[in-house]
Amino acid sequence: MLLALGLAGCGNLDESGTPQLVMARVKDAVNLDPSHATEGQSLNVASEIMEGLVMFRPGTFDVAGALAQKWWASDGGRRWTFRLRPGARFSDGTPVDAAAVKFNFDRWRLQRDPYHGAFDYAYWVSEFGGFSDDPKNPGVVRDVIVDSPRQVTFVLSSPSGTFLRNVAMQSFAIGSPAAIERDPQAFEQHPIGSGPYVLREWLRDDHITLDANPSYSGPLPRPRVQTVVIRDIPDQATSVLSIQKGELSMLTDVRSDDAAMLGAERDIAIVRQPSNNLAYVAMNIEKKPFDNVLVRRAVAMAIDIPAILRALYGPGTIPGDNWTPPGMLGENPRVKIWPHDVAGAKRLLAQAGFPHGFATTLFLPTTPRPYMPDPQRLAEAIQADLREAGIAVTLEPLEFGVFLAKIQNGEHPMCLIGWSGDNGDPDNFYYPLLDQDSAVKPFAQNYAFWRDPVFHRLMLAGQRSVNEAERRKIYQQAAQLVHDQVPAIPLLHTPVPLALRTSVHGFVASPDTEYHFELMNVGTQ
């Protein structure tokens, strides 16, 4: 009994004495419907509750089966057919069949679908190009056909080299049609899926509690941890103290100095997820003087990226030479960050008509991000660098939800933001963040509002090609174009540190930042 009481005090047992895992992070989810969530706090929870047709094998971007057991392409890559596993059910008891898959995809792709609603389907547009019933921009998915209860076929307008990886993304997990039909708004707060866990409780800005799904029949192991509690602790000093005291099993969004300190403790380990991300500064081309490429190049030359990495980031962080993370298809070895050159930046500003510099505002989130564990310090470093070149920057820190709404609506002159990759493909970095299709207010993801027709043609060619060598050349051209035109300044790619108590076993560091609680155990191997 004394042992049980001690473990309960450390947060390792729930009220019934069953082992549980308690994780803390700095910010709550926004909503738990993955089809219109756009940030990891939401998607990483929803992916425990819901399954997609296919998934990425934990720790990799290798595509593996989830709801689908097998799949194949035909008609020159214009048709994709998925064969579903037998017997899968949503946690409300309804079947996961081809009709349920079609219901979900029709809801996302058809603006006239009765359950489409006024939601923001930013990921659908960014990955598939548009809504199927939009005559101006119908995207690549033309139709979804139920062949049989266990088989569904997607008809595409053209071959797609990104289709399978896109379908594997967290955003396209399948939810219970019965639950969505009952109340699409409520589904945001209490999704029903067929994943390893079910949602027990969500108390906003405090915690989310997940319970193991007894009816889970997917390809991953059934959960050994029966209860997962995800706590929101905005104050990082408090969360660090909590994991030191054993009140937490796991802590995300660890700052580099905290990671170094915690990693030295006997009962805590630091694990780093792959640097499949990008931190960057976007300059709003719709606002002067950022419509001038010379000004944008001057800003890039004024920022001392190597100094920022040395001062604010931990091991493994590298400069953002390419827009995409290192090793990704299409990496261009000839493209490097703009050299830090204050005098050169001043010359460019004078040539652009600003011999005495100018004043501007940099929007930034107050919430740490995986690629940006201390936004305020990073923004202050950029502010100081730009000051040396004669650019006076006022910082505008905003709560993350407010921040996103404002930059998606183009209210910023400059913003400090980033991206965690979803599928291991260069299209996932370039198209959502820089293409003209993503520069549509009020739900833009292209925060530079750069609309370059040459870049757009490259993006369409990259999406339609199924030839890897051809796609490599396309994205190498895109890397050079982005570097030369500088709609945004790629700062860095960084491994994401997490702190784990050594009593936690089975955690797999994945490049898409999923946690996979079902693979983990607490207390015993």
Side-chain angles (χ1 to χ4, degrees), residues 97 119 158 185 221 228 256-257 263 360 412 425 475 483 507 525:
D97 54 15
F119 301 113
S158 61
Q185 293 281 356
V228 176
S256 59
D257 50 353
T360 188
H412 59 290
D425 193 275
Y475 291 111
H483 175 270
F507 174 75
Q525 291 283 6

Side-chain angles (χ1 to χ4, degrees), residues 34 65 100 105 176 192 211 222 252 314 328 377 405 447 455:
F105 275 86
S176 163
I192 302 294
D211 290 327
R222 287 196 173 190
T252 70
M328 189 168 282
R377 289 179 65 193
Y447 307 125
F455 183 82

Side-chain angles (χ1 to χ4, degrees), residues 474-509:
I474 288 168
Y475 291 111
Q476 286 179 342
Q477 292 178 55
Q480 188 68 59
L481 183 58
V482 171
H483 175 270
D484 294 345
Q485 292 298 310
V486 208
I489 303 163
L491 300 174
L492 56 94
H493 309 288
T494 185
V496 181
L498 297 93
L500 297 167
R501 299 287 300 182
T502 53
S503 58
V504 177
H505 309 289
F507 174 75
V508 175

Side-chain angles (χ1 to χ4, degrees), residues 173-220:
I174 304 300
S176 163
I180 296 170
E181 288 174 337
R182 193 159 48 246
D183 190 339
Q185 293 281 356
F187 191 82
E188 281 194 325
Q189 315 304 316
H190 199 105
I192 302 294
S194 58
Y197 286 89
V198 297
L199 178 67
R200 182 204 299 180
E201 179 183 51
W202 182 10
L203 183 60
R204 284 277 187 180
D205 298 318
D206 190 87
H207 72 274
I208 292 173
T209 302
L210 304 175
D211 290 327
N213 179 6
S215 64
Y216 174 65
S217 62
L220 295 172

Side-chain angles (χ1 to χ4, degrees), residues 401-425:
V402 176
F403 169 75
L404 272 185
K406 286 183 175 293
I407 65 175
Q408 287 174 341
N409 198 40
E411 298 177 25
H412 59 290
M414 303 173 72
C415 69
L416 179 59
I417 186 64
W419 184 257
S420 295
D422 300 287
N423 65 11
D425 193 275

